[in-house]
Amino acid sequence: MDFILEHTDATTGARAGRLCTPHGDVETPAFAPVGTQGAIKALIPSLVAETGTRLVLGNTYHLTVRPGEAVVRALGGLHAFMGWDGPILTDSGGFQVFSLARLATLSDDGVRFRSHVDGAECFLSPERVVAIQETLGSDVMMCLDECVPFPCERDRAEQAVRRTLDWAERSLAAHTNEMALFAIVQGSTYPDLRIKCAQALAKRPFDGYAIGGVSVGEGPLLMDEAVACTAPELPEHKPRYLMGVGPPDDLLAAVARGVDLFDCVMPTRNARGACAFTWRGKVRLRNAVHADCSRPLDDACACRACRSFSRGALRHLFAAGEMAAAILVSLHNLTFYQDLMRRARQAILADRFEPFRADTLAVMAE
Amino acid sequence: MDFILEHTDATTGARAGRLCTPHGDVETPAFAPVGTQGAIKALIPSLVAETGTRLVLGNTYHLTVRPGEAVVRALGGLHAFMGWDGPILTDSGGFQVFSLARLATLSDDGVRFRSHVDGAECFLSPERVVAIQETLGSDVMMCLDECVPFPCERDRAEQAVRRTLDWAERSLAAHTNEMALFAIVQGSTYPDLRIKCAQALAKRPFDGYAIGGVSVGEGPLLMDEAVACTAPELPEHKPRYLMGVGPPDDLLAAVARGVDLFDCVMPTRNARGACAFTWRGKVRLRNAVHADCSRPLDDACACRACRSFSRGALRHLFAAGEMAAAILVSLHNLTFYQDLMRRARQAILADRFEPFRADTLAVMAE
């Protein structure tokens, strides 16, 4: 994998780049929708591609628990399994073990847990997480890390950083294929721990660096602080990935700090809850005001939902419990996220990211 | 609306024709998927179009109950509301009133009932049903009919035929626009009643004729008998529509009797239940035998699900509760139904419908 840093905005840290993978290039800043169990929720690959999406995420934890990486390999690898021939990034499973699995017990070796699906006992170590992702055939793999909750005592955050660094080193040693391996910076809300972790990882030959342990309830200010102190410590010519983020304003804030990649369930999850993102702010389709509204979700959007459906029709489809509602609004929300990234990139290339960001957020907040 | 009878098979009653509507032509025999509440379940219009579907059905009962035809009109009419610019047929609501509504009370005037959504009292008369469909903007409208259950005493079936004929006449008188109006033949499983009803309706200037009151539990033999005695009584140059049917073998049996149009929830409902129709018979994806099967649902199918997904992957998506499973198999099943109609049409045009039907059913039953 190559990362080409094409341009850095003149007045912010915002970067335009290009991630080159065996399954195609991804222009950055880029947003990856989450295909937790091998599918982006409420969509199929052709619809995902329609939104402008190039990179998608798969969850290592979910896929190893069900159907298991051996089955995915027998079915042709993760790209064939998902019906997606573009780039795929897989996370490490660490976050899910801590949030979903039962009876997770952590040691320096790894983490032992029971599957949330059938209670089967499982074990993830740094080596095993790399092996699973190599078996899946991910274009971009993540190291197993220790993700701590918020708030977190300093002692615990320090221990998690130590373990994350140790596991990153073991992941490097376990890595046998040509696919990219990213390390993850931890450190909770302690800037000095974040910096120490980033500096240590930056010395090692990872293909990219993620900022993890954010979006766990710390709020936008502490998240921005974590990003602000971490990003400058990371190698300039490697991609930077903020994990699990987020709402449009958080994305633009992180882009300004020099982050290149994002993933989040927000566009698809909100869609299923009848909440649409638009360039004029959120539209809550359950609101009765939309019942006989013949306008599209967003006049400025060219997605299929906006071209063919009124707000009133979409509201009806939610009220009637039709899957088409979730499909259409997922399509729209993901198109909005991709348009946001594309416009951000254009603004960066034109050295006007800050006015773009300010104007965009001002109109959205109207 | 015009119907052009292009060819009648040399050895069966099977017909190839063309239904010409203000929203485009439909080659027959044709299958219409059911968009009960303004959407084909688990699909969006662009995916429906991918299957080769030209004609879709909307349910008058459901749409008048929610969101109401006035809302549909305010949102641009049924085509805009559904995001479907091809032909739309709407049923009369009669079948749903008897099967879904609460406290339905029937009189010669019409039927009074309470909505299954909110219990609101509603009234459907032949005149009102035509007015609703004109407000919706359907290309093909159906007359309100009285649909009797199976089995049905002869007295009740006779009364239902009388009422259906009276209501058809009132529908003709109430019809004010240029869209097509079809009458419905009733008569339960009494051939003489079916014939009497068909003969009476055939004398009147309807744009097409439906065979109703089938697929209510009478089984394929009695259904075939009803079709066999009714079809010959209908005008040769008007389209014939068998309502609510059905599995592939029933479709082919009815095509052989000279039926041109069909609608049924079967392809989409079965899809949501993880059951796929293929040219080699049904595939039940919950079956463990498919878990690591890397073959597509159907080697002979060019749909997106068959091009991009293995049976194993589809099975996993069902097991994981992913909407993508229902979307993909609905896309496949509807493609199968449209391919079946297209191949039937080609066989009719080549005067070889009977061998086509026999071969198709033999391979499916293997």
Side-chain angles (χ1 to χ4, degrees), chain A residues 255-266:
Chain A
V255 167
R257 300 292 187 190
V259 172
D260 308 299
L261 297 172
F262 302 90
D263 80 281
C264 193
V265 297
M266 194 168 273

Side-chain angles (χ1 to χ4, degrees), chain A residues 27-46:
Chain A
E27 293 185 333
T28 63
F31 178 84
V34 180
T36 304
Q37 306 185 101
I40 314 296
K41 289 204 187 299
L43 292 174
I44 61 174
S46 59

Side-chain angles (χ1 to χ4, degrees), chain A residues 286-333:
Chain A
R286 297 265 184 202
N287 193 316
V289 75
H290 302 301
D292 54 6
C293 177
S294 60
R295 289 193 300 121
L297 272 177
D298 192 337
D299 297 313
C301 178
C303 85
R304 204 175 277 285
C306 288
R307 289 203 310 272
S308 301
F309 287 85
S310 59
R311 292 183 181 194
L314 293 171
R315 182 178 189 280
H316 162 74
L317 293 175
F318 276 109
E322 288 288 342
M323 262 190 240
I327 300 171
L328 289 164
V329 180
S330 296
L331 187 70
H332 167 78
N333 279 357

Side-chain angles (χ1 to χ4, degrees), chain B residues 189-246:
Chain B
T189 50
Y190 302 97
D192 62 311
L193 293 185
R194 288 267 172 197
I195 290 168
K196 180 188 145 199
C197 188
Q199 287 176 342
L201 292 171
K203 293 188 185 122
R204 304 296 296 141
F206 291 100
D207 299 294
Y209 296 85
I211 301 170
V214 293
S215 202
V216 290
E218 76 282 13
L221 291 180
L222 286 174
M223 186 199 296
D224 186 55
E225 186 181 57
V227 175
C229 70
T230 305
E233 307 302 330
L234 298 174
E236 186 182 1
H237 291 276
K238 295 286 174 70
R240 301 162 184 171
Y241 163 31
L242 185 60
M243 303 185 82
V245 175

Side-chain angles (χ1 to χ4, degrees), chain A residues 36-47 50 62-63 66-67 71 74-76 79-84 272 290-295 304 308-313 316-317 319-324 326-328 331, chain B residues 36-47 50 62-63 66-67 71 74-76 79-84 272 290-295 304 308-313 316-317 319-324 326-328 331:
Chain A
T36 304
Q37 306 185 101
I40 314 296
K41 289 204 187 299
L43 292 174
I44 61 174
S46 59
L47 297 176
E50 264 188 36
H62 284 91
L63 293 169
R66 181 176 57 191
V71 171
L75 295 172
H79 292 82
F81 182 74
M82 293 182 70
W84 180 257
R272 296 195 304 286
H290 302 301
D292 54 6
C293 177
S294 60
R295 289 193 300 121
R304 204 175 277 285
S308 301
F309 287 85
S310 59
R311 292 183 181 194
H316 162 74
L317 293 175
E322 288 288 342
M323 262 190 240
I327 300 171
L328 289 164
L331 187 70
Chain B
T36 304
Q37 305 184 103
I40 314 296
K41 289 204 188 300
L43 292 174
I44 61 174
S46 59
L47 297 176
E50 265 188 36
H62 284 92
L63 293 168
R66 179 176 57 191
V71 171
L75 296 173
H79 292 81
F81 182 73
M82 293 182 69
W84 180 257
R272 299 195 302 286
H290 303 301
D292 54 6
C293 176
S294 60
R295 289 192 302 122
R304 203 175 279 287
S308 301
F309 287 85
S310 60
R311 291 183 182 194
H316 162 76
L317 293 175
E322 288 288 342
M323 261 190 243
I327 299 172
L328 289 165
L331 188 70

Side-chain angles (χ1 to χ4, degrees), chain B residues 19-263:
Chain B
L19 195 69
C20 306
T21 84
H23 288 88
D25 291 1
V26 183
E27 292 185 334
T28 63
F31 178 84
V34 180
T36 304
Q37 305 184 103
I40 314 296
K41 289 204 188 300
L43 292 174
I44 61 174
S46 59
L47 297 176
V48 173
E50 265 188 36
T51 67
T53 296
R54 292 286 299 152
L55 173 71
V56 303
L57 183 140
N59 281 119
T60 296
Y61 166 83
H62 284 92
L63 293 168
T64 192
V65 161
R66 179 176 57 191
E69 63 276 14
V71 171
V72 173
R73 180 164 57 185
L75 296 173
L78 188 54
H79 292 81
F81 182 73
M82 293 182 69
W84 180 257
D85 59 9
I88 303 177
L89 181 154
T90 45
D91 66 4
S92 69
F95 186 85
Q96 282 75 32
V97 167
F98 302 116
S99 60
L100 281 182
R102 285 179 278 170
L103 304 171
T105 54
L106 205 65
S107 69
D108 288 342
D109 285 348
V111 53
R112 192 167 300 282
F113 62 96
R114 289 189 178 276
S115 142
H116 74 292
V117 172
D118 61 3
E121 190 170 299
C122 310
F123 179 69
L124 288 184
S125 63
E127 292 79 9
R128 177 140 167 65
V129 161
V130 168
I132 293 170
Q133 293 177 89
E134 290 189 347
T135 300
L136 293 172
S138 319
D139 296 281
V140 179
M141 304 184 285
M142 304 303 297
C143 296
L144 185 63
D145 59 332
E146 182 178 347
C147 189
V148 294
F150 173 83
C152 179
E153 294 292 323
R154 185 176 172 94
D155 280 1
R156 182 161 177 205
E158 273 181 345
Q159 188 198 29
V161 166
R162 271 197 306 275
R163 196 170 265 154
T164 294
L165 290 173
D166 175 50
W167 286 0
E169 200 58 36
R170 285 166 57 189
S171 303
L172 265 187
H175 183 203
T176 66
N177 74 8
E178 297 300 304
M179 300 307 203
L181 178 66
F182 282 26
I184 304 176
V185 176
Q186 291 289 347
S188 185
T189 50
Y190 302 97
D192 62 311
L193 293 185
R194 288 267 172 197
I195 290 168
K196 180 188 145 199
C197 188
Q199 287 176 342
L201 292 171
K203 293 188 185 122
R204 304 296 296 141
F206 291 100
D207 299 294
Y209 296 85
I211 301 170
V214 293
S215 202
V216 290
E218 76 282 13
L221 291 180
L222 286 174
M223 186 199 296
D224 186 55
E225 186 181 57
V227 175
C229 70
T230 305
E233 307 302 330
L234 298 174
E236 186 182 1
H237 291 276
K238 295 286 174 70
R240 301 162 184 171
Y241 163 31
L242 185 60
M243 303 185 82
V245 175
D249 46 351
D250 286 0
L251 293 186
L252 296 183
V255 167
R257 300 291 187 189
V259 172
D260 308 299
L261 297 172
F262 302 90
D263 80 281

